[in-house]
Amino acid sequence: MNLFVFAHETEQDVLKRTTEDAIHLGDSFELNVENAFLEADTVSILIPEGLAWVEKEEEKTVAYDPSSRELSLNDLHQTKSFSLFAETSGSFDLKATVHTEHSPEVTQTFAIHVATPQEDEEETESEPDQDETDHASEEDVVEESPNNEIEEEQNNEEPTVPEEDENESTEPEEDATEEPTQDEQPEEEQSEEETKPEDQLENDPLKEEEQETTIPKEEDHSEETKEQQEENLAEEPEETEPIDNNTERMQTMVETANVSSIPAPPVGGPNVGDLFTFAGDTNIAQHRSSNVRVLADGTRNKASAMWFNEKIDLTKSFQTTMYLYINGSSANQSQIADGLTFTMHNDSRGVGAVGQRGESLGAYGTIRGSNYSGFINHAVSFEFDTYFNGDYSDRGLANSNHTAVVIPSNAVRESGRYRMQHTNVQNRNLISNNWQPFTVSWQPRTSWIYPYAGTLTYRHGNATTTFNTNNYRTTFGSNSVYWGFTGATGDEMGLYAIAYADLPQRPRAQKQVRNVTAGESQFRTDTTAYPGDTLEYQITLDNPADNGLGAAWPNVEVTDPLPEGIQYVDNGSTDKPTRVSGNTLYFDAGTIAMAQTKKLTFRVQMKDDANGSLVNQAYAEARSGAFRGQVSSNESTVSRKAIEIHADPVAQTFPKGSNPSNWDLATFVKNINVTPSSLKQEGEVVGFSGNPPDTNQPGTYNVGIRIKSSIYPGVERVIQVPVTIVDGALSFTAPDLDFGIQTISSKPERYFGQIGNQELAITDTRHIKGHWALSLKLSSPLTDLETGTPLSADFVYKDGGVDAAIGPEETQIATGRITEGTQLVLSDSWTDDPSNEAGFFLDVAPGSAKVDSSYRAELTWTLQDVPGNE
């Protein structure tokens, strides 16, 4: 569709078009700041919606604020120009303000009109004949009608506003004996087709539509006779077939362009084709947005409907929100027709229900006939009526766009003409270049008097309409109804579109986990595990519905990218992935019906290299249906349980100047173990934690020794070990013990250990003498040198009257500190005097020693430098 731009100018205009050439939709056009204002400091222009500023790189002194839509031009010592883009058709006002330092501001409005070529053609054409108009006004009908006195009397009647239940009682029977007419002429001009049998015409909207194409439209209010019409046609031979063909071609161009001019809806939403069934005329151009359905596309004589696929339950509350687009099919169109309705029904045709064209709005019946039929039965409609049909359907109402509640079955015949019974009428402007929000809510109101009562609330823009019924089962004939929209045009045109914003409930995905090895029975969003533990994930796919406001979730594929440290385990998994790629699992979940839930359960295992918290989420995606796109689950977390290393420090002593790199760090700790013991993992010493001490400075230092697991990353422990650097040495000499040649006894015997000329001595030549500790352990027990038979005997070290058994574990036998001299001889105090026994003894059980046998054992001595207690 081609659009032209015209600019209205005056001598005082701040702005001026640089050319008078026509501009098509989507093209740019340029404006200049008039020379008279070149000395101004700044000129600011407010750009209205529908026009957009075209930014150019060379415009360094032009600034644009998108939030206020204000364009500022500075440095006006030379001609300034800027370009705008025509986004939509219509009339637009640019507000220009001139700012100067020493003069008051000058504000002017510059008018721009974006029009279709059709408007130019209409200026040169003659006025159309009466029979070419969509709906003759009530005044026109009165002038031409021989019964104008009756018409005037009818038009002055007050509208009938009965109670809803009373409306029900006046509903015409569907099997009325009067035949439905197929045209909209008065009764005396009906065609012979009205004489067809009732069973061929009644409740057959398709037949009625076919007949309407061969007779005058229901909006043709002319009282001309057939002879007069034929005479008029004979006087107009210039309307030849080529002109009709050209008109048809132009009509197709307008149809496409009108729908494309509908702006994108303010919100996205599901594909209406997946949620609604479309009835009536299907050859209607559609919008580019998938959540938009066009009910009237700027073409004539259309009636269409869209019904949500699922019924709603009237025993439960209900609410849904949409956006409506109600506008003319061409720029500055003063009158559009006919309108649309929001309708709830329980018609036997279900989602195939549709009413008649024109003023019937796609919901009501044949208004301009002798028999009212073809309406949507068991229904309540909220109408958006954009054309005043004062002679028939709107008789008695004000000549204005309006909203109203109408029962489609309730048409009143007065003086040979039908009119619809309107309640809750609000006269208001319905036409807009913008989408308008519309919300419908239903609230049942139960009581012992009215157990089936309820309230419908319609909110459109700033207006609210409330409709009450005391018995919805009488109104609709059921507890459940279909809902949706109808729309219609006649000989006049309009654009009517619905944007479905969203479903109250959308599919959800949840991911939970439990530790099977630890015996967990409940799924949670997080858990803990050791390496090697078996875990079980559960993905819940929920497709909820709020009182029928839902749809199937078809062909759902679930993707679960497992985190590093988790691996899939096929054994024990209830649901197997359809494919595995790397560490990502794919599941075919199929179709999940409305208000249904599906669970996927499978097993994984924590790997040995798992570390920290392992977080991931699953994704469910449908590539078709109302919920096309991806749904993300929550994050599910598996944290590795703390693995601990334990070890005991062993104090160390080194001479001054020793090299720490030569130290055997494995001897710095003892009793290393990793918990839990089920991991069956040992720790290993890997080095210093920090720098080793300065061995040139004698003293005692705490040295950190790092121990870590060789398998599990991040499992590490630092043990503090005391290390003493001395400028001398701590040493000792140990004797061999000889328990002599003994006679076998029949009772327990204790033998004293002789050392001969040897001695047990501690020598400390260090500059700073520290405490020491002497330990002893039995490395191998007493055994027969020839047979290897062990001797049943116990080693005992006795000091200060206390016995200390010497076994395979280290036993401390002496401790101290040399304060005088450099040596202490411990063996000087050993004696077998029964009154003061001290030293080494061997306790032998009777009958264990063999005659002529020699026994030998090995002892290991350990001298350590230890911290003092003072």
Side-chain angles (χ1 to χ4, degrees):
M1 177 177 68
N2 298 327
L3 299 181
F4 298 95
V5 178
F6 302 90
H8 171 69
E9 303 176 16
T10 68
E11 294 180 357
Q12 300 299 320
D13 280 343
V14 179
L15 305 176
K16 183 178 181 181
R17 281 280 314 283
T18 60
T19 177
E20 295 299 329
D21 294 340
I23 299 175
H24 302 286
L25 180 65
D27 289 348
S28 300
F29 59 95
E30 192 173 77
L31 295 97
N32 282 344
V33 176
E34 277 283 64
N35 294 338
F37 301 98
L38 292 181
E39 297 301 321
D41 297 320
T42 304
V43 173
S44 60
I45 300 101
L46 288 178
I47 302 175
E49 297 281 350
L51 301 179
W53 173 56
V54 180
E55 184 176 5
K56 299 180 180 178
E57 294 184 0
E58 63 272 13
E59 294 178 332
K60 304 299 183 184
T61 58
V62 178
Y64 180 67
D65 184 356
S67 61
S68 63
R69 300 186 64 83
E70 184 176 66
L71 185 68
S72 299
L73 290 81
N74 304 313
D75 189 18
L76 298 172
H77 299 295
Q78 56 182 342
T79 301
K80 289 291 180 182
S81 64
F82 61 94
S83 297
L84 298 180
F85 175 78
E87 293 182 318
T88 61
S89 61
S91 296
F92 308 96
D93 289 333
L94 275 68
K95 184 179 179 182
T97 304
V98 180
H99 308 271
T100 59
E101 183 177 358
H102 302 292
S103 302
E105 293 182 348
V106 177
T107 301
Q108 294 183 354
T109 299
F110 185 69
I112 291 181
H113 178 63
V114 180
T116 65
Q118 190 175 8
E119 288 182 291
D120 297 326
E121 296 173 4
E122 290 173 354
E123 291 180 0
T124 60
E125 292 177 354
S126 60
E127 293 296 322
D129 291 337
Q130 178 66 27
D131 60 348
E132 293 178 350
T133 60
D134 181 55
H135 307 282
S137 68
E138 184 177 358
E139 291 76 9
D140 293 337
V141 174
V142 171
E143 290 176 1
E144 298 179 11
S145 172
N147 302 321
N148 53 3
E149 293 181 359
I150 298 176
E151 289 287 335
E152 183 177 356
E153 179 181 352
Q154 292 174 351
N155 291 339
N156 291 331
E157 290 179 357
E158 290 297 323
T160 302
V161 186
E163 292 295 324
E164 187 275 335
D165 288 338
E166 294 175 358
N167 291 347
E168 292 285 329
S169 65
T170 61
E171 175 180 335
E173 294 295 328
E174 290 187 322
D175 57 352
T177 57
E178 291 185 338
E179 297 296 331
T181 104
Q182 306 310 315
D183 60 25
E184 304 304 328
Q185 301 180 71
E187 290 183 67
E188 60 271 20
E189 298 183 21
Q190 298 300 312
S191 66
E192 295 180 358
E193 291 187 13
E194 291 181 345
T195 62
K196 288 186 177 182
E198 178 178 338
D199 58 357
Q200 295 183 24
L201 294 177
E202 185 177 27
N203 295 328
D204 189 349
L206 294 179
K207 292 182 180 179
E208 293 169 359
E209 291 172 8
E210 293 172 357
Q211 296 174 31
E212 285 176 0
T213 62
T214 63
I215 60 178
K217 303 295 185 293
E218 64 179 57
E219 294 80 7
D220 184 2
H221 305 159
S222 174
E223 297 294 332
E224 296 176 334
T225 65
K226 293 183 180 179
E227 291 76 14
Q228 290 174 325
Q229 293 173 8
E230 292 172 355
E231 181 179 351
N232 290 338
L233 291 175
E235 294 174 355
E236 298 176 354
E238 65 276 9
E239 294 187 16
T240 60
E241 186 66 20
I243 293 179
D244 291 339
N245 291 338
N246 183 61
T247 301
E248 183 178 352
R249 181 182 62 82
M250 290 301 297
Q251 180 64 41
T252 303
M253 293 175 60
V254 170
E255 174 182 334
T256 304
N258 286 337
V259 172
S260 65
S261 70
I262 299 176
V267 295
N271 189 329
V272 293
D274 296 317
L275 297 173
F276 292 83
T277 296
F278 309 123
D281 290 305
T282 58
N283 58 333
I284 294 177
Q286 290 304 312
H287 194 264
R288 59 190 175 276
S289 299
S290 63
N291 69 318
V292 172
R293 178 68 181 181
V294 178
L295 294 175
D297 57 3
T299 57
R300 295 179 174 87
N301 297 315
K302 296 290 178 67
S304 64
M306 55 184 291
W307 305 114
F308 199 80
N309 293 330
E310 304 293 336
K311 283 187 171 183
I312 57 170
D313 185 354
L314 295 178
T315 65
K316 303 175 183 177
S317 60
F318 156 81
Q319 178 168 309
T320 187
T321 297
M322 324 47 135
Y323 285 81
L324 312 182
Y325 187 79
I326 305 173
N327 205 358
S329 56
S330 61
N332 295 327
Q333 185 175 346
S334 60
Q335 184 65 67
I336 70 172
D338 272 275
L340 68 154
T341 76
F342 175 87
T343 297
M344 298 166 60
H345 75 86
N346 192 36
D347 191 286
S348 60
R349 292 170 290 177
V351 292
V354 68
Q356 304 304 303
R357 300 171 180 172
E359 65 189 293
S360 297
L361 305 184
Y364 315 146
T366 49
I367 296 174
R368 296 175 184 262
S370 61
N371 181 33
Y372 180 74
S373 62
F375 52 85
I376 299 177
N377 200 16
H378 299 300
V380 173
S381 296
F382 182 74
E383 70 173 23
F384 300 83
D385 195 333
T386 61
Y387 195 97
F388 178 62
N389 295 277
D391 54 342
Y392 275 85
S393 62
D394 296 330
R395 195 163 63 255
L397 301 182
N399 186 356
S400 174
N401 291 183
H402 64 265
T403 62
V405 177
V406 177
I407 307 297
S409 61
N410 284 358
V412 178
R413 187 171 179 84
E414 299 170 338
S415 301
R417 298 187 181 189
Y418 283 107
R419 68 172 176 86
M420 302 308 299
Q421 297 190 73
H422 298 78
T423 64
N424 308 84
V425 180
Q426 293 191 35
N427 297 320
R428 42 201 303 266
N429 183 26
L430 302 175
I431 303 173
S432 174
N433 290 325
N434 301 315
W435 288 92
Q436 306 173 55
F438 177 57
T439 298
V440 179
S441 59
W442 161 261
Q443 186 62 49
R445 296 180 292 105
T446 58
S447 67
W448 68 274
I449 300 177
Y450 300 113
Y452 306 112
T455 300
L456 274 168
T457 303
Y458 309 93
R459 298 180 183 88
H460 176 241
N462 297 323
T464 299
T465 301
T466 300
F467 176 76
N468 296 311
T469 177
N470 289 333
N471 193 329
Y472 55 75
R473 295 207 304 184
T474 301
T475 303
F476 297 106
S478 174
N479 287 344
S480 59
V481 296
Y482 290 103
W483 65 270
F485 290 87
T486 70
T489 60
D491 278 350
E492 291 286 350
M493 300 171 293
L495 288 177
Y496 304 108
I498 312 298
Y500 194 44
D502 205 351
L503 289 167
Q505 299 289 338
R506 295 186 66 83
R508 298 187 293 261
Q510 183 184 41
K511 185 173 185 183
Q512 294 180 300
V513 65
R514 65 182 178 185
N515 190 327
V516 176
T517 301
E520 293 178 354
S521 59
Q522 299 296 321
F523 285 98
R524 305 194 304 264
T525 57
D526 57 84
T527 190
T528 58
Y530 287 120
D533 282 0
T534 297
L535 305 156
E536 196 164 56
Y537 280 126
Q538 186 174 84
I539 299 173
T540 302
L541 304 173
D542 185 22
N543 184 20
D546 185 2
N547 190 15
L549 291 181
W553 192 12
N555 304 319
V556 179
E557 182 181 64
V558 175
T559 304
D560 193 350
L562 298 179
E564 294 297 328
I566 295 288
Q567 62 184 4
Y568 169 68
V569 177
D570 188 76
N571 186 26
S573 291
T574 303
D575 297 287
K576 316 285 186 181
T578 53
R579 61 189 177 97
V580 179
S581 177
N583 215 34
T584 301
L585 311 182
Y586 298 89
F587 298 87
D588 182 5
T591 296
I592 303 173
M594 185 181 72
Q596 297 298 313
T597 297
K598 184 166 187 176
K599 297 181 184 294
L600 300 173
T601 306
F602 59 95
R603 291 192 172 185
V604 297
Q605 187 177 53
M606 177 176 277
K607 298 162 65 175
D608 287 342
D609 60 358
N611 193 17
S613 295
L614 311 177
V615 182
N616 83 308
Q617 57 188 140
Y619 306 92
E621 183 174 9
R623 292 182 173 85
S624 63
F627 304 113
R628 188 177 297 127
Q630 192 178 83
V631 176
S632 303
S633 77
N634 59 291
E635 290 185 339
S636 177
T637 304
V638 178
S639 300
R640 192 186 68 186
K641 290 182 180 179
I643 302 174
E644 297 181 351
I645 295 181
H646 302 278
D648 297 327
V650 177
Q652 304 292 316
T653 300
F654 297 99
K656 178 181 177 181
S658 63
N659 186 355
S661 63
N662 296 327
W663 295 351
D664 183 5
L665 299 185
T667 63
F668 281 49
V669 292
K670 62 181 180 179
N671 302 327
I672 300 175
N673 64 87
V674 179
T675 57
S677 59
S678 60
L679 299 177
K680 299 179 180 180
Q681 170 62 31
E682 295 182 356
E684 58 183 12
V685 176
V686 294
F688 292 107
S689 174
N691 297 322
D694 183 0
T695 60
N696 292 317
Q697 298 295 327
T700 301
Y701 305 90
N702 282 327
V703 177
I705 302 299
R706 288 178 53 231
I707 309 172
K708 75 170 187 177
S709 168
S710 60
I711 294 181
Y712 308 122
V715 178
E716 189 172 291
R717 180 75 180 274
V718 175
I719 304 295
Q720 298 295 326
V721 179
V723 175
T724 302
I725 306 299
V726 297
D727 55 359
L730 177 67
S731 60
F732 75 103
T733 57
D736 291 332
L737 298 176
D738 187 355
F739 293 94
I741 299 174
Q742 306 293 340
T743 301
I744 294 176
S745 174
S746 60
K747 61 180 181 178
E749 296 288 347
R750 168 170 282 194
Y751 305 112
F752 179 63
Q754 303 290 336
I755 60 173
N757 295 326
Q758 298 173 333
E759 59 184 14
L760 177 60
I762 307 297
T763 302
D764 191 351
T765 62
R766 299 173 295 180
H767 176 71
I768 300 177
K769 298 178 176 60
H771 288 79
W772 50 264
L774 181 64
S775 300
L776 183 66
K777 71 177 180 178
L778 183 64
S779 301
S780 61
L782 282 166
T783 56
D784 190 317
L785 293 178
E786 292 184 1
T787 64
T789 302
L791 177 66
S792 179
D794 296 323
F795 279 101
V796 177
Y797 179 77
K798 190 170 186 177
D799 184 31
V802 178
D803 289 352
I806 307 301
E809 302 294 332
E810 287 191 353
T811 300
Q812 183 174 293
I813 62 173
T815 184
R817 180 182 181 189
I818 300 176
T819 57
E820 296 182 3
T822 59
Q823 190 177 59
L824 174 65
V825 180
L826 297 176
S827 57
D828 285 349
S829 62
W830 293 353
T831 177
D832 59 352
D833 183 352
S835 63
N836 191 26
E837 287 183 339
F840 283 95
F841 296 89
L842 185 65
D843 292 337
V844 180
S848 62
K850 304 299 182 181
V851 177
D852 296 330
S853 296
S854 296
Y855 296 90
R856 183 186 181 94
E858 289 186 1
L859 297 172
T860 299
W861 304 82
T862 301
L863 178 64
Q864 290 181 305
D865 185 32
V866 296
N869 294 324
E870 67 273 16

